[in-house]
Amino acid sequence: MAGRYEDLRAAVLGGVDEGSRHGWAVLARCGMAAWIKAVVRIPVALPAVRHGSSAPVAVAGELVEVLARMAWTAAGGCRSG
């Protein structure tokens, strides 16, 4: 758990995708307790394989973020239960 938090912290402070892949929105909007519950559901990112251009990786990352936000909204956001 501490490692996941440090990954989030480094991403936010370093500007790397602003922490969206590490649950930043959950922590910022709902607090630490909600983040702890949610972070176990966030898959650990595997290192990206580069094949010449990073454009497909960037597009895939944006698509994942949009789909995750849609799922989060559909699930009721910060409501506990």
Side-chain angles (χ1 to χ4, degrees):
M1 187 64 61
R4 301 289 293 263
Y5 176 78
E6 289 303 323
D7 290 344
L8 168 61
R9 184 174 174 274
V12 171
L13 294 176
V16 180
D17 79 14
E18 299 170 351
S20 62
R21 295 173 191 249
H22 303 281
W24 170 239
V26 176
L27 180 62
R29 293 180 69 197
C30 304
M32 181 64 79
W35 179 82
I36 290 170
K37 289 179 184 175
V39 76
V40 297
R41 298 180 189 157
I42 299 172
V44 176
L46 298 175
V49 176
R50 301 209 183 250
H51 296 287
S53 174
S54 64
V57 173
V59 171
E62 290 175 10
L63 179 60
V64 168
E65 186 172 344
V66 168
L67 292 173
R69 288 181 186 196
M70 289 171 60
W72 180 255
T73 301
C78 296
R79 291 185 295 186
S80 60

